């Protein structure tokens, strides 16, 4: 593979070795090198420095005058394997129904599950591949993808096999999460335990046996699964070495955060509602709080109190939640804009949340999320822009010019 030298970089952004997620005030700082070069070789970041020390031997040279270079976005929460779309519900919400009301009527996730069950694996793979290519063009270089639109053994396995094929094919780093407990299928309405038994006794062993998942997730919410049920699934996952990443506190504070922390969750995701006790619980843990502001944007709900979490000292990550119901978008730069505009995060905090902390929310912190020697060369070059703040400022614009993944120009 040819080596690549990027030179005359206006700002080489997010230059740091990382050993731990960034917390609270640490997130205000975004270290970078002005007038810099970056050498990529053998899929890795080989070296970097300021232009006065620029090497002159590389197979390919890219001039980045006026441009920024950033580590690829690390989107630690998506559901990008899905079938079809749900714009009917979008119109229902315009007409006054809420996301939860639609779910209670058997729409929402169950709607997507019915579609997915009927979609052949190959077609699902093709749809998901296009979405993966799309998010790559927005600068994403690592992504977590969940199952959870199968809701029976066969269809959950189908989704996870699609994710495995994406992993094999793509230069984007991918983590797979089993989300069998995303919604209760209607036929189990009178017997919730029967579904949990199926999930625990049939789906999980097969998934673990075939090595199809890295993590386990539950939608802990009034319209989905209780805290006790969430704990039951986390315990079952732990027997197979699957650590939790949990959907919680989207609409209600029910104790999902405390339960997730108790079970060593890597992250708790959503947090549109969170109280002081829950923030304290996260402060005393290694669990990252992952915020998904394009979900409340799209379903017209309120945003997580990011300022309160950051000022208290929490480690916060940002992700898209790309899915057909609450966020039909995988555009990380828009997530950064929402974080700044709607949650009053600074551009530096937003970049840290979307790179370093996103990487840690997928346990990729030592290989992805920053510019450091030996890290995987997943980076992007912007169009000529004035500063880091220009990225969230120019919401909706496409500022990514060139994408490099595993040391190859895409
Ligand atoms: O993270 N809230 C639960 N799951 C997804 C939405 C899934 C859907 O509506 O299809 C979320 O927002
Ligand atoms: Fe989600």
């Amino acid at each position: 593979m040819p080596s690549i030298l990027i030179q005359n970089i206006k700002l080489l952004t997010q230059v740091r070795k990382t050993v731990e997620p960034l917390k609270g005030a640490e997130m205000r700082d975004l270290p970078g090198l002005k007038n810099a070069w970056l050498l990529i070789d053998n899929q890795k970041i080989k070296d970097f420095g300021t232009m006065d020390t620029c090497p002159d031997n590389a197979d390919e040279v890219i001039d980045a005058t006026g441009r920024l270079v950033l580590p690829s976005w690390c989107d630690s929460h998506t559901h990008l394997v899905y079938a079809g779309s749900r714009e009917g519900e979008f119109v229902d919400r315009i007409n006054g129904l809420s996301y939860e009301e639609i779910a209670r009527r058997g729409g929402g996730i169950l709607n997507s599950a019915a579609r997915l069950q009927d979609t052949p694996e190959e077609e699902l793979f093709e749809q998901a591949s296009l979405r993966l290519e799309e998010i790559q063009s927005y600068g994403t270089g690592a992504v977590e993808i969940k199952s959870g639109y199968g809701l029976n053994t066969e269809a959950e396995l189908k989704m996870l096999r699609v994710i495995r094929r994406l992993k094999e094919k793509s230069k984007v780093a991918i983590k797979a999460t089993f989300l069998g407990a995303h919604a209760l299928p209607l036929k189990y309405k009178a017997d919730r335990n029967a579904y949990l038994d199926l999930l625990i006794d049939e789906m999980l062993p097969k998934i673990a046996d075939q090595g199809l998942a890295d993590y386990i997730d539950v939608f802990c919410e009034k319209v989905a699964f209780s805290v006790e049920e969430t704990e039951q699934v986390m315990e079952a996952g732990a027997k197979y070495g699957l650590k939790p990443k949990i959907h919680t506190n989207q609409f209600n504070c029910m104790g999902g955060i405390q339960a997730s922390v108790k079970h060593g969750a890597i992250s708790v995701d959503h947090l549109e509602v969170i109280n002081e006790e829950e923030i304290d619980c996260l402060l005393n843990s290694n669990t990252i709080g992952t915020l998904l502001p394009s979900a409340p944007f799209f379903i017209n709900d309120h945003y997580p109190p990011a300022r309160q979490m950051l000022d208290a000292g929490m480690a916060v990550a940002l992700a898209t939640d790309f899915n057909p119901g609450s966020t039909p978008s995988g555009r990380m730069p828009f997530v950064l804009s929402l974080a700044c505009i709607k949650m009053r995060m600074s551009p530096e905090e937003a970049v840290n949340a979307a790179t370093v902390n996103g990487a840690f929310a997928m346990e990729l912190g030592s290989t992805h999320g920053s510019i450091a020697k030996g890290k995987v060369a997943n980076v992007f070059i912007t169009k000529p822009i004035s500063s880091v703040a220009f990225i969230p400022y120019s919401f909706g614009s496409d500022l990514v010019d060139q994408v490099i993944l595993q040391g190859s120009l895409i």
Side-chain angles (χ1 to χ4, degrees):
M1 188 180 295
S3 59
I4 301 176
L5 173 68
I6 312 173
Q7 59 182 25
N8 298 317
I9 304 168
K10 178 171 177 164
L11 183 67
L12 182 60
T13 313
Q14 192 63 298
V15 178
R16 63 166 111 214
K17 289 186 193 136
T18 51
V19 283
E20 278 180 3
L22 300 165
K23 293 185 172 177
E26 291 166 1
M27 294 185 67
R28 291 184 205 153
D29 185 33
L30 182 61
L33 277 185
K34 285 181 187 158
N35 197 21
W37 56 271
L38 175 71
L39 181 63
I40 290 166
D41 194 21
N42 200 16
Q43 302 178 33
K44 301 270 167 64
I45 294 174
K46 189 164 185 204
D47 208 352
F48 54 85
T50 47
M51 279 310 287
D52 50 331
T53 63
C54 189
D56 55 7
N57 49 337
D59 300 319
E60 209 167 317
V61 177
I62 299 175
D63 182 69
T65 301
R67 298 158 192 271
L68 272 51
V69 172
L70 281 90
S72 299
W73 308 124
C74 296
D75 186 353
S76 60
H77 180 138
T78 81
H79 311 244
L80 69 73
V81 175
Y82 60 82
S85 55
R86 301 210 318 251
E87 63 270 32
E89 294 175 6
F90 171 67
V91 175
D92 289 342
R93 277 195 301 279
I94 295 169
N95 291 325
L97 279 185
S98 73
Y99 179 85
E100 287 170 288
E101 280 160 350
I102 293 167
R104 275 196 207 94
R105 291 179 175 199
I109 295 164
L110 296 179
N111 186 347
S112 286
R115 289 284 287 274
L116 185 134
Q117 287 162 5
D118 285 342
T119 304
E121 189 161 334
E122 192 58 36
E123 195 184 320
L124 208 52
F125 175 71
E126 277 159 25
Q127 288 187 25
S129 295
L130 288 177
R131 293 185 198 113
L132 188 58
E133 277 169 31
E134 185 191 332
I135 67 168
Q136 215 170 268
S137 75
Y138 303 146
T140 297
V143 66
E144 181 254 17
I145 311 175
K146 301 171 193 296
S147 72
Y149 292 122
L151 308 184
N152 65 41
T153 306
E154 192 198 318
E156 283 293 312
L157 287 168
K158 177 167 73 175
M159 283 190 84
L160 289 164
R161 282 194 302 268
V162 167
I163 301 172
R164 181 166 65 192
R165 277 179 71 188
L166 296 172
K167 276 191 190 187
E168 287 162 2
K169 173 190 144 179
S170 178
K171 288 186 160 48
V172 173
I174 297 177
K175 292 282 179 131
T177 299
F178 171 49
L179 175 56
H182 198 191
L184 185 78
L186 283 182
K187 70 173 187 189
Y188 294 96
K189 216 168 174 182
D191 191 1
R192 301 178 65 86
N193 282 333
Y195 183 67
L196 289 166
D197 289 347
L198 177 78
L199 190 156
I200 291 167
D201 299 332
E202 190 178 293
M203 296 185 196
L204 250 181
K206 287 198 171 143
I207 289 162
D209 186 51
Q210 296 171 42
L212 284 169
D214 302 300
Y215 301 108
I216 191 152
D217 192 351
V218 178
F219 184 17
C220 181
E221 190 49 69
K222 282 188 185 162
V223 288
F225 294 92
S226 69
V227 175
E228 293 68 36
E229 291 166 340
T230 303
E231 292 209 57
Q232 209 183 326
V233 174
M234 288 193 284
E235 271 157 32
K239 295 204 179 107
Y240 297 97
L242 300 180
K243 294 181 200 166
K245 279 171 70 67
I246 300 293
H247 279 79
T248 187
N249 292 55
Q250 184 174 9
F251 305 114
N252 298 283
C253 297
M254 301 173 10
I257 291 179
Q258 292 86 334
S260 303
V261 165
K262 183 169 114 195
H263 291 271
I266 300 293
S267 66
V268 283
D269 302 33
H270 271 291
L271 317 185
E272 279 86 333
V273 293
I274 186 166
N275 60 37
E276 268 172 35
E277 191 189 320
E278 291 166 323
I279 291 179
D280 279 345
C281 172
L282 286 169
L283 287 174
N284 294 315
S285 77
N286 293 319
T287 303
I288 295 173
T290 300
L291 313 184
L292 314 162
S294 35
F297 168 78
F298 186 72
I299 65 172
N300 203 16
D301 200 355
H302 63 268
Y303 292 85
R307 243 341 340 129
Q308 202 186 329
M309 297 182 218
L310 287 165
D311 294 344
M314 259 177 63
V316 166
L318 284 168
T320 62
D321 200 15
F322 195 177
N323 76 74
S326 68
T327 322
S329 162
R331 199 183 269 268
M332 279 297 276
F334 183 59
V335 169
L336 273 86
S337 296
L338 289 174
C340 296
I341 299 160
K342 299 293 187 183
M343 306 198 297
R344 292 179 48 229
M345 288 174 69
S346 70
E348 292 77 15
E349 287 171 330
V351 171
N352 282 323
T355 55
V356 168
N357 283 2
F360 278 104
M362 297 183 269
E363 294 183 294
L364 290 173
S366 59
T367 50
H368 294 74
S370 74
I371 304 292
K373 278 189 211 176
K375 276 199 168 180
V376 177
N378 284 14
V379 305
F380 64 88
I381 307 172
T382 69
K383 293 178 180 162
I385 60 172
S386 42
S387 68
V388 168
F390 192 85
I391 298 172
Y393 159 84
S394 63
F395 81 95
S397 294
D398 255 324
L399 298 178
V400 176
D401 192 31
Q402 282 178 297
V403 171
I404 295 172
L405 293 174
Q406 292 183 17
S408 295
L409 261 170
I410 303 296

XYZ file of all heavy atoms in Angstrom, residues 3 7 25 33 69 128 165 169 232 276 285 299 316 333 352 356 392 396 401 403:
147
model
N 2.536 4.819 0.676
C 2.506 5.738 1.827
C 1.939 7.087 1.358
O 2.048 7.448 0.191
C 3.912 5.913 2.396
O 4.768 6.423 1.397
N 0.637 17.369 3.506
C 1.473 18.492 3.968
C 0.735 19.825 3.920
O -0.340 19.931 3.353
C 2.779 18.538 3.192
C 2.611 18.698 1.703
C 3.955 18.678 0.973
O 4.936 18.113 1.443
N 3.990 19.311 -0.186
N -14.212 19.059 32.337
C -13.393 20.183 31.872
C -12.306 19.746 30.885
O -11.856 20.551 30.056
C -12.763 20.894 33.069
N -1.922 20.832 15.905
C -0.672 21.394 15.401
C -0.980 22.254 14.180
O -1.604 21.772 13.226
C 0.265 20.274 14.935
C 1.139 19.532 15.932
C 2.041 18.561 15.180
C 1.985 20.518 16.731
N -7.191 18.671 9.090
C -7.226 17.202 9.092
C -7.684 16.765 10.472
O -7.187 17.251 11.492
C -5.842 16.598 8.752
C -5.854 15.087 8.960
C -5.461 16.928 7.306
N -27.877 -1.605 3.668
C -26.980 -1.172 4.745
C -25.636 -0.710 4.186
O -25.045 0.258 4.687
C -26.783 -2.300 5.751
N -20.868 -9.126 7.676
C -20.414 -8.921 6.292
C -19.929 -7.493 6.076
O -18.962 -7.264 5.347
C -21.552 -9.232 5.305
C -21.671 -10.709 5.004
C -22.810 -10.970 4.045
N -22.536 -10.507 2.683
C -23.454 -10.490 1.709
N -24.698 -10.891 1.969
N -23.141 -10.090 0.512
N -16.166 -6.357 4.843
C -16.008 -5.637 3.588
C -15.433 -4.224 3.771
O -14.733 -3.713 2.895
C -17.401 -5.523 2.944
C -17.486 -4.659 1.719
C -18.941 -4.411 1.317
C -19.078 -3.010 0.785
N -20.409 -2.645 0.332
N -31.917 -8.528 33.779
C -31.944 -9.950 33.419
C -31.171 -10.177 32.108
O -30.378 -11.122 32.002
C -33.411 -10.336 33.222
C -33.773 -11.753 33.519
C -35.262 -11.978 33.185
O -36.103 -11.084 33.354
N -35.579 -13.168 32.696
N -30.070 14.418 39.105
C -28.755 14.602 39.734
C -28.181 13.306 40.267
O -26.980 13.041 40.165
C -28.870 15.620 40.870
C -28.571 17.025 40.377
C -28.848 18.086 41.419
O -28.625 17.829 42.620
O -29.311 19.170 41.014
N -18.354 6.179 37.998
C -18.293 4.961 37.191
C -17.360 5.151 36.006
O -16.854 6.244 35.774
C -19.687 4.635 36.648
O -19.980 5.493 35.543
N -37.771 13.803 16.402
C -39.104 13.529 16.963
C -39.619 14.732 17.764
O -40.639 14.649 18.429
C -39.159 12.214 17.777
C -38.286 12.275 19.033
C -38.769 11.016 16.924
C -38.475 11.059 19.962
N -18.713 12.482 28.138
C -19.856 12.511 27.219
C -19.385 12.176 25.802
O -18.363 12.694 25.343
C -20.506 13.926 27.257
C -21.452 14.129 26.095
C -21.235 14.137 28.587
N -21.556 15.455 11.308
C -21.386 16.915 11.440
C -22.675 17.624 11.885
O -22.616 18.613 12.620
C -20.977 17.356 10.026
C -20.328 16.136 9.437
C -21.095 14.961 9.993
N -14.405 16.485 20.691
C -13.905 15.458 21.621
C -14.936 14.352 21.841
O -14.603 13.167 21.886
C -13.531 16.096 22.966
C -12.197 16.814 22.901
O -11.262 16.359 22.242
N -12.103 17.957 23.571
N -12.626 11.074 20.364
C -12.009 10.301 21.458
C -13.063 9.531 22.264
O -12.964 8.314 22.445
C -11.205 11.233 22.400
C -10.824 10.508 23.684
C -9.959 11.749 21.694
N -19.243 22.843 13.086
C -20.639 22.883 13.547
C -21.401 24.138 13.093
O -22.620 24.092 12.934
C -20.513 22.843 15.076
C -19.129 23.282 15.378
C -18.292 22.881 14.210
N -25.271 21.553 7.890
C -25.881 21.174 6.616
C -24.927 21.194 5.438
O -25.204 20.574 4.418
N -13.676 16.736 2.412
C -13.214 16.686 1.023
C -12.633 15.313 0.689
O -13.071 14.665 -0.250
C -12.173 17.787 0.806
C -11.888 17.969 -0.676
O -12.813 17.747 -1.488
O -10.750 18.313 -1.018
N -11.354 11.417 2.237
C -11.437 10.475 3.346
C -10.333 9.432 3.179
O -10.148 8.884 2.089
C -12.823 9.786 3.346
C -12.876 8.644 4.340
C -13.926 10.802 3.649
